[in-house]
């Protein structure tokens, strides 16, 4: 797997590879089950979890309802604090703004804090096209970048890799980008972390430009907030002279006090920690402390369209904790790459087709990449009813009548027609049971089903015929 | 008390034994059961596949067929969840699209009267010991809709625990989806089969003779995998276990 998500096959085909890859499935199963069990324990410690969940939902809903007002307030606050605000309608515009800002500094390198927004717009690739190297500094992102791989999880982008694979990537690739890994590197976590630390330290100390996203932006003060676990983010946020933050417009919250809810729910939902180890906050610029130039790029890229959809807009409440990925039985088997987006798992299945539209094969298949089991909704710290949105988006895809859906629609209409006529349904049942000895083991159209499952044998009599026969 | 059985299309056509067991069980408990023959299907497959408008005639049919009954009982968690969760949604959307309040009235009337079997037994009849006898080892798979949408909680387990002769064995990872998911099983066959195989494997670790569930579609999917592999574990609906007594064994 290398390169880009563009042109991914539809989910069922993409998932087939993962299902057949036993190493990948073992890696995923181990990692998701470990983190889901830890999360459940961390959440159970809070007696008011359901109230916190409701509060998070309400804060986000309120902000989204008045998004324009809070974004304008945020812009004023950031400018007042010495920052500059840029508005980007789409990925191209955001990438151009960032590339121009970097070029204006005369630098050819940037260090990056792990950020979903910059991945979403393909910033690293866009910068590379302009001759600028962007170095990921989050350990897992570093593994993905060095391995010329794609992220497969929101929080743990290299979740699909095991220690042995990581050691091989470090040994082969680190030297090409900076300080090489020691020859005798083993797969012990401490050695792997130390190799990454030394490799990254060089980059932190050299970089003049840092690029980040943000988990939250506080409208009243213009403060940006990043939650992280390793401290690499804080290095990028404090050492460079110029800091450029690219943030989705839905990340704004009205007040400083609103943070109290997410400070509790985000770490417990994502890493199962009571509090994340590093919470970095920055408000514009301060003389002699941290970056002297600060730019905020506010990214739309499909968010306004998503906001216009009454059912689908709840996806914008997402705080990217990835709890839904870790409990999803489909994600566990299919892996993150099958979702064809930087947002995999249940949230990706509802976010990507909304941000990107449902025209491509992969986006049209994502709303169906779920058994609607509801585990994702149950764990979501902002109560996004993911199954509801999935079914809503299925309707959108079906209405478009794309590949396979015209036939399906005809079949569904026919089924509804027959089922609205009990006589027709009873006659069909009788015809089926009378000929049941003649039924082939494989019925046309059920090939995929019968590959691994036997079809049920039809009974001698339907229930309604039994009922009638009882003389009732 | 006028009680109607909503047997569901899958049970009617493929698993009539589940419907028959439900009737025998309810009648043994003194409930007068009626089967309105105009019933067909709740529309779950259409709705979940994205054909909401196509479900509307079925919502109307459900409303008309079960009008006037004090309670409607169904031996299917997912069909009960379809009515409870999605009929109001379908009605709201129809109203928003300017097609009136008719569906809203149907949903408003039907939803509070419709019960999944274990809910009806425990909440309405107030029984957990239904006088059943089933001398076998059983493990229980609480299907997603029963577990999460309906919130059946301990009800099915309490019913099973009260069955004479029955030994209940804990199913590891019980809350995980079996991978059926309606048309999901057809649209994503590989993932669906992988999920089903894992579920079957954990059921086999219990050493139980019977894999019990309260949703025939999940049992069809798991039963299909078990039969294809030739595994010796029998899928059985909760109603079929509860229907048998010492004097009159059901299975």
């Amino acid at each position: 797997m290398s390169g880009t998500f563009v042109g991914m096959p539809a989910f069922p085909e993409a998932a087939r590879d993962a299902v057949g890859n036993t190493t990948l499935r073992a890696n995923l199963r181990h990692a998701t089950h470990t983190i889901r069990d830890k999360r459940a324990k961390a959440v159970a410690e809070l007696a008011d979890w359901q109230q916190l969940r409701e509060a998070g939902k309400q804060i986000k809903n309120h902000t989204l309802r008045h998004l324009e007002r809070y974004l304008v307030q945020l812009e004023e606050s950031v400018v007042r604090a010495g920052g500059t605000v840029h508005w980007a309608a789409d990925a191209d515009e955001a990438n151009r703004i960032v590339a121009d800002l970097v070029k204006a500094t005369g630098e050819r390198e940037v260090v990056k804090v792990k950020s979903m927004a910059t991945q979403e717009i393909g910033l690293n690739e866009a910068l590379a096209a302009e001759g600028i190297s962007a170095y990921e500094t989050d350990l897992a992102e570093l593994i993905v970048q060095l391995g010329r791989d794609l992220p497969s999880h929101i929080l743990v982008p290299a979740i699909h890799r095991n220690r042995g694979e990581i050691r091989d990537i470090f040994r082969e690739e680190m030297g090409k980008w900076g300080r090489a890994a020691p020859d005798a590197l083993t797969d012990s976590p401490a050695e792997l972390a130390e190799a990454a630390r030394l490799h990254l330290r060089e980059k932190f100390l050299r970089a003049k430009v840092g690029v980040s996203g943000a988990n939250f932006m506080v409208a009243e003060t213009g403060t940006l907030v990043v939650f992280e676990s390793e401290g690499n983010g804080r290095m990028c946020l404090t050492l460079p002279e110029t800091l450029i933050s690219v943030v989705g417009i839905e990340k704004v919250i009205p007040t400083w006090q609103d943070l109290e809810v997410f400070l509790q729910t985000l770490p417990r939902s994502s890493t199962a920690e009571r509090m994340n180890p590093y919470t970095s906050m920055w408000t514009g610029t301060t003389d002699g402390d941290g970056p002297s130039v600060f730019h905020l790029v506010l990214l739309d890229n499909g968010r306004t369209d998503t906001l216009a959809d009454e059912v689908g807009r709840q996806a914008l409440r997402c705080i990217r904790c990835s709890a839904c990925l870790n409990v999803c039985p489909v994600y566990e088997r299919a892996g993150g790459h099958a979702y064809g987006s930087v947002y995999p798992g249940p949230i990706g299945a509802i976010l990507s087709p909304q941000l990107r539209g449902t025209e491509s094969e992969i986006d049209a298949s994502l709303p169906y990449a779920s058994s609607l089991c509801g585990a994702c909704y149950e764990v979501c710290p902002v109560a996004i009813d993911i199954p509801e949105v999935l079914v809503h988006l299925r309707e959108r895809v079906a209405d478009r009548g794309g590949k396979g859906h015209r036939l399906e629609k005809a079949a569904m209409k026919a089924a509804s027609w027959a089922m609205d006529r009990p006589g027709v349904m009873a006659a069909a049942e009788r015809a089926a049971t009378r000929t049941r000895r003649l039924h082939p083991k494989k019925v046309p159209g059920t090939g995929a089903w019968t590959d691994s499952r036997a079809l049920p044998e039809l009974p001698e009599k339907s229930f309604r015929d039994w009922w009638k026969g009882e003389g009732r | 008390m006028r009680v109607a059985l909503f047997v569901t299309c899958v049970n009617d056509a493929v698993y009539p034994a589940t419907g028959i067991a439900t009737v025998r069980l309810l009648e043994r408990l003194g409930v007068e059961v009626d089967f309105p023959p105009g019933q067909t299907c709740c529309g779950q497959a259409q709705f979940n596949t994205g054909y909401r408008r196509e479900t509307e005639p079925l919502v109307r049919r459900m409303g008309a067929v079960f009008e006037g009954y004090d309670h409607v009982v169904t031996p299917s968690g997912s069909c009960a969840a379809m009515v409870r969760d999605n009929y109001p949604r379908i009605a709201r959307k129809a109203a928003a699209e300017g097609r009136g309040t008719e569906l809203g009235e149907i949903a408003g009337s039907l939803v509070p009267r419709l019960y999944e079997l274990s809910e009806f037994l425990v909440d309405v009849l107030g029984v957990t010991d239904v006088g059943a006898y089933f001398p076998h080892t059983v493990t229980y798979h609480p299907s997603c809709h029963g577990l999460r949408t309906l919130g059946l909680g301990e009800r099915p387990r309490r019913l099973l625990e009260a069955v004479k002769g029955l030994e209940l064995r804990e199913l590891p990872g019980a809350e995980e989806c079996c991978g059926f998911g309606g048309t999901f099983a057809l649209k994503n066959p590989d993932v669906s089969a992988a999920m089903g195989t894992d579920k079957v494997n954990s059921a086999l670790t219990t050493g139980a003779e019977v894999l019990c569930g309260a949703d025939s579609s999940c049992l069809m999917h798991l039963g299909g995998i078990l039969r294809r592999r030739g595994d010796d574990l029998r899928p059985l609906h909760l109603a079929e276990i509860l229907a048998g007594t010492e004097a009159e064994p059901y299975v």
Side-chain angles (χ1 to χ4, degrees), chain B residues 10-239:
Chain B
V10 169
N11 285 325
D12 181 17
V14 189
Y15 298 106
T18 299
I20 295 166
T22 306
V23 172
R24 297 227 162 115
L25 168 66
L26 291 175
E27 287 181 345
R28 189 174 79 225
L29 296 170
V31 177
E32 208 177 304
V33 184
D34 194 9
F35 175 75
Q39 63 176 280
T40 53
C41 163
C42 65
Q44 188 184 177
Q46 288 95 326
F47 181 81
N48 281 350
T49 314
Y51 298 90
R52 170 176 56 87
R53 289 291 298 269
E54 280 72 15
T55 62
E56 290 183 6
L58 301 176
V59 175
R60 281 193 206 94
R61 170 162 293 279
M62 288 284 287
V65 164
F66 294 113
E67 202 180 348
Y69 290 97
D70 301 322
H71 303 288
V72 181
V73 181
T74 182
S76 164
S78 70
C79 301
M82 168 67 188
V83 173
R84 201 171 294 170
D85 239 32
N86 293 328
Y87 277 23
R89 265 182 199 147
I90 294 166
R92 273 199 302 275
K93 285 194 174 174
E97 289 166 5
R99 280 176 292 109
T101 57
E102 182 209 356
L103 295 177
E105 282 146 27
I106 291 170
S109 158
L110 184 58
V111 168
R113 290 183 290 127
L114 183 116
Y115 291 86
E116 185 274 339
L117 179 63
S118 71
E119 281 178 328
F120 183 75
L121 295 172
V122 176
D123 299 356
V124 180
L125 298 185
V127 288
T128 45
D129 185 350
V130 297
Y133 174 68
F134 190 78
H136 301 282
T137 47
V138 174
T139 191
Y140 180 73
H141 168 57
S143 297
C144 302
H145 287 116
L147 187 71
R148 283 182 276 266
T149 316
L150 298 178
L152 295 182
E154 292 296 299
R155 292 180 187 86
R157 287 182 53 107
R158 283 166 60 202
L159 289 162
L160 285 171
E161 276 163 3
V163 173
K164 210 173 152 199
L166 186 148
E167 187 199 325
L168 193 60
R169 298 203 176 155
E170 210 59 51
L171 176 65
E175 74 292 344
E176 283 174 42
C177 177
C178 71
F180 174 62
T183 46
F184 174 75
L186 292 169
K187 286 182 180 282
N188 284 285
D190 299 287
V191 178
S192 166
M195 288 162 70
T197 303
D198 288 348
K199 177 63 71 179
V200 159
N201 286 338
S202 47
L204 288 169
T205 64
T206 66
E209 298 158 72
V210 168
L211 172 60
C212 175
D215 223 307
S216 293
S217 357
C218 303
L219 292 174
M220 172 173 73
H221 165 70
L222 296 172
I225 294 172
L226 285 165
R227 279 204 298 137
R228 174 55 58 89
R229 303 198 327 184
D231 287 321
D232 203 17
L233 173 65
R234 187 175 174 198
L236 213 51
H237 194 283
L238 176 69

Side-chain angles (χ1 to χ4, degrees), chain A residues 13 75 99 106 131 165 183 191 252 291 363 471-472:
Chain A
E13 290 96 81
E75 180 178 34
E165 292 173 298
D183 288 337
E191 278 190 39
V252 67
D363 286 313
R472 296 183 190 240

